[in-house]
Amino acid sequence: MVKSPLGIIFTAAALALAVSPEARKAARKLAVKGAGIVLELADQVKDGAGEQQSAEAVKNEEKNTEKVWLP
């Protein structure tokens, strides 16, 4: 019925999760760690984009303002 090797792997994993409490516990830990990593990466991307925008704003402000020379 299951013809592809990937299908066999998913079926075996589903069976292991259905039968074994230890497998469910390990899968839950991996899911939590994975979610934490994804959230951390998203924060880093947001921080990087914000820093880039503020740097561009400073450059534009310097470019648009006149320098005043004091005698």
Side-chain angles (χ1 to χ4, degrees), residues 1-18:
M1 308 254 191
V2 179
K3 296 179 182 178
S4 76
L6 193 57
I8 294 170
I9 291 171
F10 282 138
T11 303
L15 253 160
L17 290 173

Side-chain angles (χ1 to χ4, degrees), residues 3-71:
K3 296 179 182 178
S4 76
L6 193 57
I8 294 170
I9 291 171
F10 282 138
T11 303
L15 253 160
L17 290 173
V19 174
S20 172
E22 291 85 13
R24 286 192 299 270
K25 188 175 182 179
R28 189 178 308 116
K29 285 182 181 181
L30 285 174
V32 169
K33 286 183 181 181
I37 289 170
V38 168
L39 290 173
E40 182 67 30
L41 288 174
D43 286 343
Q44 288 178 2
V45 168
K46 286 180 186 177
D47 290 344
E51 289 175 4
Q52 184 179 11
Q53 287 177 350
S54 62
E56 287 177 8
V58 168
K59 286 180 185 178
N60 287 337
E61 184 177 337
E62 288 176 353
K63 186 177 179 181
N64 293 333
T65 58
E66 293 180 351
K67 295 185 178 183
V68 178
W69 294 94
L70 297 176

